[in-house]
Amino acid sequence: MHQRSAIKLDDNHTRLILIDPNYINPQNTKVTVTFAYKTPKQIVDILSKEELTATNNKIEITVPAGAMRFIDVAY
């Protein structure tokens, strides 16, 4: 199971931090994020600059083994 945190940056931006905490047996983890109350206008991985697209207010993200992903969401 992955660790996650959502930080509200302002009224229109949230930063998601997704972590694979399994340091004994690290493995790539697929994570599904559902946006329940707002529809995202832009979703960007802040380290790789990869732009992600939500479908039906959901995105699927792979968290690499033993690593983190930092995702900025603009509404």
Side-chain angles (χ1 to χ4, degrees):
M1 182 173 174
H2 68 280
Q3 300 278 332
R4 75 256 181 243
S5 180
I7 302 164
K8 182 177 178 179
L9 301 174
D10 60 36
D11 287 342
N12 297 313
H13 297 88
T14 301
R15 177 160 297 152
L16 300 175
I17 302 170
L18 306 170
I19 305 167
D20 172 26
N22 195 355
Y23 58 89
I24 294 173
N25 184 20
Q27 55 188 318
N28 290 348
T29 305
K30 279 198 173 186
V31 177
T32 300
V33 179
T34 302
F35 301 97
Y37 300 107
K38 293 184 178 182
T39 301
K41 292 181 181 175
Q42 184 180 34
I43 307 167
V44 178
D45 181 312
I46 64 172
L47 298 178
S48 70
K49 307 295 185 211
E50 176 187 3
E51 197 154 334
L52 305 165
T53 303
T55 304
N56 297 324
N57 274 357
K58 293 182 183 181
I59 55 171
E60 282 195 8
I61 301 171
T62 299
V63 179
M68 304 181 198
R69 300 259 331 241
F70 297 90
I71 310 295
D72 275 0
V73 182
Y75 300 102

